[in-house]
Amino acid sequence: MTDLLNDDVIHARPVMIVSLASDGPRHWSPPATANARRLTLDMDANPHRGLWALQLDDAVRAASEPTLLVAEGLACLAIARWAQLSPRRYVENIAGTCLFAPLAFASHQAPLLRNLQPSPSVRLPFRSAVIDTRASLAIARVLELADIWGSDFTDADAVPAAWCRGDSAPAALVAAAQVAGKRQRSAA
């Protein structure tokens, strides 16, 4: 499914970069393209009401042709939850989705994680790729989600350099996993 990360795919389809208002710096972003737009989901005020799902509904229905969704962190879980619970006509305009580090989140986002989990255990109704580093502390759960969603898994080291935000997104993810691992070992 690495073909979703291919330059030809990115430039051939509209791209919607989905994020949360509370997201910090992004590690991943598609290469610059004229057909990319951003959607920031407002999940902070009252995430359980599903207003963020209405934002996704409206944005996807407004797309004039099949669109590639790109998300990082908890925005991945929001897309999965939306896609699995939405009627078919709402998701048929999705060409595919790239889900980067779906379980990466900041501590202040923990309440959002609780509202998005557990995700329904059904396949996503479109092509999808889950991208994460195998050094992640949550890699077992990430691989489980990829399997449940019917997504291909791509190791972060295999992502084309044009997708890396900054100098080395995979290195940043690996470093974050190593720091978290050291904290867990020292707490034990």
Side-chain angles (χ1 to χ4, degrees):
M1 192 62 58
T2 320
D3 64 326
L4 286 175
L5 302 171
N6 183 303
D7 268 355
D8 294 336
V9 173
I10 292 300
H11 293 290
R13 299 244 179 244
V15 175
M16 186 180 309
I17 302 166
V18 182
S19 61
L20 306 183
S22 63
D23 280 348
R26 297 179 59 85
H27 294 102
W28 307 97
S29 191
T33 175
N35 57 1
R37 59 187 198 146
R38 297 190 181 282
L39 173 63
T40 302
L41 301 176
D42 184 13
M43 296 183 75
D44 297 325
N46 215 346
H48 66 280
R49 290 237 171 131
L51 298 176
W52 58 271
L54 293 175
Q55 288 177 286
L56 267 166
D57 286 345
D58 291 344
V60 169
R61 283 187 301 191
S64 59
E65 61 184 288
T67 300
L68 178 67
L69 300 178
V70 176
E72 182 177 346
L74 294 184
C76 300
L77 299 180
I79 288 172
R81 189 152 189 79
W82 166 80
Q84 293 165 332
L85 299 174
S86 293
R88 184 173 182 85
R89 70 182 184 278
Y90 284 34
V91 297
E92 58 191 13
N93 208 23
I94 303 298
T97 187
C98 297
L99 305 168
F100 288 89
L103 295 179
F105 64 96
S107 59
H108 70 276
Q109 292 179 311
L112 294 177
L113 178 63
R114 283 191 294 277
N115 283 315
L116 292 170
Q117 289 289 342
S119 159
S121 295
V122 295
R123 294 175 70 85
L124 294 177
F126 40 72
R127 296 175 15 184
S128 59
V130 171
I131 302 97
D132 208 335
T133 176
R134 291 193 183 275
S136 167
L137 295 175
I139 192 62
R141 179 65 177 142
V142 168
L143 292 171
E144 181 183 8
L145 286 174
D147 188 49
I148 289 168
W149 294 340
S151 304
D152 286 335
F153 177 80
T154 300
D155 190 277
D157 291 334
V159 174
W163 282 81
C164 298
R165 189 110 185 207
D167 292 330
S168 58
L173 288 172
V174 170
Q178 289 171 340
V179 168
K182 286 179 186 174
R183 280 192 211 134
Q184 284 183 339
R185 286 190 296 276
S186 66

